[in-house]
Amino acid sequence: MLKTTAVAATFCAVAGAGIVGYGETTAQAAQAQTPTQSQAQAQSASSTAARHGHGDGHSFSGTKKIRVGGYSVNVSCSGRSTARKPVVVLMAGGGDGLDTMAGLQKTLSKKVRVCSYDRLGEGESDQPHGTQTIDDSSRILTGVLDRVTGDRPVVLAGHSLGGLIAARYAPDHRDRVKGLVLMDATIPALTAGVSKAIPDSATGMAAELRDQTIAVNEGQNPEKFVIADAKVRSAGNIPVQIIRHESQYAEVPDYGPALEEMWAEGQEQWRALSGRSRISVAAGSGHYIHVDRPDIAVKAIQRVTAQATAHS
C-alpha cells in the first residue's frame, strides 16, 4: 500500500488512519471459527441478554480484554453510571484503535459513563479469521454492549468507518441505541461516489486514490471488512447529530470540488436515519473532527446524550 496523504483518509472506506497502516498488521489469524451469524441472530442475542438481566453491565474503569464470540476484544471504560443516562460508546475509524478516542473519552467521562473498543483487526483485539461484513461487525458490537452496558440504553458516537458501522447498526437495534453522533462518517455509497468523482481517465495520485479506496472497500484493510454501498435505513425518531469536515481535498485540486460535493451529499444521506437528524460543518476541521475540533465533538455527544436521556 502506498504511504498516501491524509486526503486518502477521508474517503477510503475504512478512513481513519488513511491508507498508511493498511496491510501492516503483524499479528497472525488464529484457527477458523464458527461461520458468521446474521444481523437477525445478533439482534436476538441482544434481546436474550437483556432478558437474562445484564443490568448495568460490567462496572470497571480502565482497559481490559473480554471474550466475544470466541475472540479477545480490547475495551476501555471510564466514568460513573448515572440513573437514566445512556452509556456513550465511542467507535474509532478504520486503521485506528481505541487510543485515538482517549482524549474524547477522558473529557466525556467527567459527566457520563463512556466506553470504547478495538474492533477485530484493530488495536489490541484479535485478528478476524476471515472476511468480515457489517453482520460480523454488528455481532461483535452486540457482544461488547452486552458485557459493558448490559441492558442500559446507549449513544453510539463514531468517526469515519466507526460512524458508518454505528449508523448501519442502529436501525436493527432500536431497543438499545437511543442516539447517534456521526463524525465525518464514511458515506453510504462510497464506491459509487468515488468512481463517479474520479473517472477512469484520471492519472497520478487521484487514480491511485480511487483504486485504493475501492480495494479497501473490498476488504483489503486490517479488519478484512467488506463495505458495500447501501441505502440508509431509519433508526426511529432518535436524536442524530451528523458532523462533517470543512476541508479535506486540497491535495487533489483537479478533483477536489467533485470529491467535496460527493462527501457533502453522502453526509446529507445519513439524515434519513431519523426525523430528528441535524447536520453541521466543523469549522477548521479536516477528517479527524474529534482531534481538530474536540470542543465540537464533545458538545455534540453531550447534546445527543441529554436528548436521549430526556426521552428515555
Side-chain angles (χ1 to χ4, degrees):
M1 288 295 182
L2 297 175
K3 301 291 186 178
T4 57
T5 60
V7 66
T10 301
F11 68 79
C12 141
V14 287
I19 298 298
V20 173
Y22 288 95
E24 295 178 355
T25 305
T26 57
Q28 299 298 314
Q31 298 293 322
Q33 71 159 36
T34 321
T36 301
Q37 294 182 357
S38 67
Q39 285 181 331
Q41 289 173 309
Q43 188 172 8
S44 175
S46 173
S47 298
T48 300
R51 288 197 301 272
H52 288 176
H54 278 257
D56 290 344
H58 288 192
S59 183
F60 69 93
S61 291
T63 302
K64 65 183 293 185
K65 302 287 183 67
I66 63 174
R67 299 296 296 180
V68 177
Y71 291 98
S72 175
V73 178
N74 192 44
V75 300
S76 172
C77 289
S78 53
R80 298 180 60 184
S81 295
T82 304
R84 295 181 61 244
K85 279 191 176 182
V87 177
V88 174
V89 177
L90 303 176
M91 302 178 65
D96 289 337
L98 59 80
D99 57 305
T100 64
M101 292 291 186
L104 192 58
Q105 181 165 332
K106 181 178 180 180
T107 300
L108 291 166
S109 63
K110 295 174 182 178
K111 296 184 177 181
V112 295
R113 183 152 177 81
V114 187
C115 294
S116 56
Y117 73 106
D118 290 328
R119 291 189 300 275
L120 299 185
E122 307 286 10
E124 298 298 320
S125 289
D126 281 351
Q127 298 298 301
H129 299 316
T131 298
Q132 295 194 94
T133 66
I134 191 64
D135 290 359
D136 300 296
S137 188
S138 294
R139 176 173 56 86
I140 295 297
L141 176 53
T142 293
V144 169
L145 295 181
D146 286 345
R147 295 289 299 278
V148 303
T149 71
D151 52 14
R152 293 280 302 280
V154 300
V155 167
L156 299 180
H159 167 245
S160 196
L161 178 61
L164 180 141
I165 293 172
R168 298 294 191 208
Y169 183 84
D172 292 321
H173 299 85
R174 299 188 189 190
D175 60 328
R176 166 170 259 166
V177 181
K178 301 304 180 182
L180 288 170
V181 178
L182 308 183
M183 296 173 282
D184 226 27
T186 300
I187 62 176
L190 181 58
T191 296
V194 73
S195 298
K196 179 181 178 181
I198 304 179
D200 291 339
S201 58
T203 59
M205 179 182 175
E208 293 170 356
L209 189 55
R210 179 199 60 217
D211 294 345
Q212 288 186 22
T213 299
I214 293 171
V216 168
N217 288 2
E218 293 173 347
Q220 294 183 34
N221 57 73
E223 299 179 44
K224 300 179 183 177
F225 187 20
V226 177
I227 304 173
D229 290 354
K231 292 182 178 180
V232 179
R233 294 181 298 126
S234 173
N237 197 36
I238 63 173
V240 176
Q241 178 66 58
I242 302 154
I243 315 170
R244 68 176 177 87
H245 68 255
E246 181 177 44
S247 178
Q248 185 68 25
Y249 300 111
E251 296 184 49
V252 280
D254 291 344
Y255 300 99
L259 293 171
E260 288 290 4
E261 182 179 359
M262 172 201 76
W263 197 258
E265 289 177 353
Q267 298 303 311
E268 286 287 342
Q269 290 171 18
W270 285 127
R271 296 184 70 167
L273 282 163
S274 170
R276 296 171 65 196
S277 295
R278 296 178 55 186
I279 189 165
S280 61
V281 176
S285 174
H287 185 49
Y288 279 76
I289 291 169
H290 57 295
V291 175
D292 297 338
R293 291 298 309 271
D295 56 321
I296 291 177
V298 167
K299 288 179 181 178
I301 295 170
Q302 290 176 335
R303 180 167 54 249
V304 167
T305 301
Q307 292 171 340
T309 301
H311 287 81
S312 63

